[in-house]
Amino acid sequence: MREYDEETLQGVQSAELEILREFLALCDRHGLRCFGIAGTGIGAVRHGGFIPWDDDIDVALPRDDYEKFLVFAKRELAEKYQVMNFEENHNYPLMTTRLMIRGTEFREYALKDIDCPLGIFLDIYAFDNVPDDEGLFRRQAWSSFFWSKMLILRSIPFPVLGFKGIKAKMVHACCFLIYAALKVFRVPKEYLYRKCYESVTRYRDLNDSESLDYLCDTDPYMNLMKREDIFPLAYHDFCGLNMPFPNNLHDHLTRMYGDYMTLPPEEKRKNHFPYQLKFASGE
């Protein structure tokens, strides 16, 4: 893991905390259901805020609330923040949205060659309805996973992997071949995004299904949560903010990380250390 000096990391965390504060305020104004997930949940439970070495905040909303949020954010926060997702810029290769501070730069090594503005950000995920039928769910999950990875490989020949060694070299070789084929045959990014969006939202009217999921992660099942384990939301302190989380946060974190209360060894402590970083002028 590349390491920040303490002052820089605190500056990044402070900027992200301000984005979170305004994000939560906007969601509260408009009655949007939002909740922290993943490492942000660990930070809240284990540290009362950021994991000490972490440099990002992950939040999620059900799809309908997520799309309402995008409308409100562009209307009410545009002076200070920029909304970044594929629909805003077709060079952005992910199915998430970033709420970024204007006038800043935060470009991870994984995205260093992507031709779109990237600033200090809040990572925002859309959780979609998934069917209760196991066969239908698996087809939706793997279709979404496939198209989201094709969208990434259309722009990034060597994506970040969670493992190393010969296995990583073999996977990267396959990724490069797919990247090259997509480029040679000029497969439109818009086509890949549309196929992925159609897949993740296939059951958007199925509001009585048992579960929700963010289907475009490194594993399409890792974010699967039952509605009753999300709502009603529970609140935890996050750096002095009263932040909503799934009511069964323990199950969500255990599914993703196992024993999340034990600190990982130093070599497994991950962050998004930037290739380029610039704070807003005056900071």
Side-chain angles (χ1 to χ4, degrees):
M1 181 185 77
R2 299 179 179 90
E3 294 186 6
Y4 289 91
D5 63 78
E6 185 175 350
E7 182 180 0
T8 302
L9 179 57
Q10 287 180 354
V12 170
Q13 291 177 341
S14 176
E16 292 174 349
L17 194 60
E18 184 57 27
I19 309 173
L20 176 63
R21 190 187 316 276
E22 299 201 39
F23 167 82
L24 292 175
L26 185 145
C27 289
D28 185 59
R29 281 197 303 275
H30 296 287
L32 303 180
R33 298 167 297 169
C34 65
F35 46 94
I37 57 171
T40 302
I42 293 180
V45 173
R46 198 170 68 196
H47 304 282
F50 285 96
I51 296 172
W53 56 87
D54 201 8
D55 58 357
D56 93 319
I57 298 174
D58 297 318
V59 296
L61 305 93
R63 172 65 64 178
D64 287 348
D65 294 86
Y66 171 91
E67 294 188 350
K68 290 175 185 175
F69 165 78
L70 297 178
V71 173
F72 293 131
K74 286 187 282 187
R75 180 188 304 163
E76 299 177 23
L77 303 180
E79 184 176 344
K80 185 174 179 180
Y81 298 103
Q82 180 177 4
V83 169
M84 178 56 64
N85 53 37
F86 183 87
E87 294 190 2
E88 297 295 320
N89 187 314
H90 287 185
N91 289 323
Y92 182 78
L94 307 175
M95 292 300 291
T96 55
T97 285
R98 293 184 173 189
L99 185 63
M100 311 184 308
I101 303 174
R102 292 188 183 277
T104 67
E105 292 180 12
F106 191 105
R107 185 175 296 273
E108 305 102 302
Y109 278 81
L111 302 179
K112 67 183 180 67
D113 297 320
I114 298 300
D115 185 19
C116 71
L118 295 170
I120 296 175
F121 66 98
L122 184 70
D123 231 345
I124 306 172
Y125 296 75
F127 271 59
D128 287 288
N129 297 336
V130 298
D132 298 332
D133 180 275
E134 184 67 20
L136 292 176
F137 171 47
R138 287 190 177 277
R139 284 196 285 276
Q140 181 196 21
W142 286 107
S143 170
S144 303
F145 176 85
F146 172 80
W147 290 115
S148 68
K149 299 308 170 270
M150 290 302 101
L151 181 61
I152 290 171
L153 290 175
R154 182 61 176 81
S155 298
I156 302 173
F158 301 111
V160 173
L161 303 174
F163 48 87
K164 297 181 179 179
I166 187 65
K167 181 181 177 182
K169 290 180 180 179
M170 292 173 64
V171 171
H172 269 159
C174 291
C175 288
F176 181 79
L177 289 175
I178 296 170
Y179 164 83
L182 292 170
K183 292 274 284 187
V184 167
F185 290 103
R186 299 181 179 179
V187 178
K189 296 175 183 178
E190 295 86 345
Y191 171 78
L192 300 173
Y193 172 79
R194 186 173 68 253
K195 294 293 289 185
C196 190
Y197 182 82
E198 288 171 355
S199 181
V200 297
T201 61
R202 184 175 301 162
Y203 300 102
R204 75 176 304 157
D205 295 328
L206 198 64
N207 292 316
D208 58 351
S209 66
E210 185 178 79
S211 303
L212 299 170
D213 196 358
Y214 173 70
L215 295 157
C216 302
D217 218 319
T218 52
D219 177 334
Y221 304 111
M222 65 191 294
N223 292 288
L224 180 66
M225 285 191 273
K226 293 183 177 180
R227 291 180 196 275
E228 65 184 20
D229 288 337
I230 303 175
F231 306 110
L233 297 168
Y235 288 78
H236 297 271
D237 177 69
F238 191 90
C239 296
L241 294 177
N242 194 30
M243 184 173 177
F245 288 91
N247 68 68
N248 193 350
L249 184 57
H250 172 74
D251 182 75
H252 168 61
L253 297 179
T254 301
R255 176 189 291 268
M256 296 188 79
Y257 303 105
D259 179 15
Y260 61 89
M261 291 302 289
T262 299
L263 289 174
E266 289 191 14
E267 65 272 14
K268 292 189 176 181
R269 298 178 183 181
K270 299 178 181 179
N271 58 33
H272 298 79
F273 188 87
Y275 173 75
Q276 292 177 325
L277 173 64
K278 186 184 85 171
F279 294 100
S281 15
E283 293 185 7

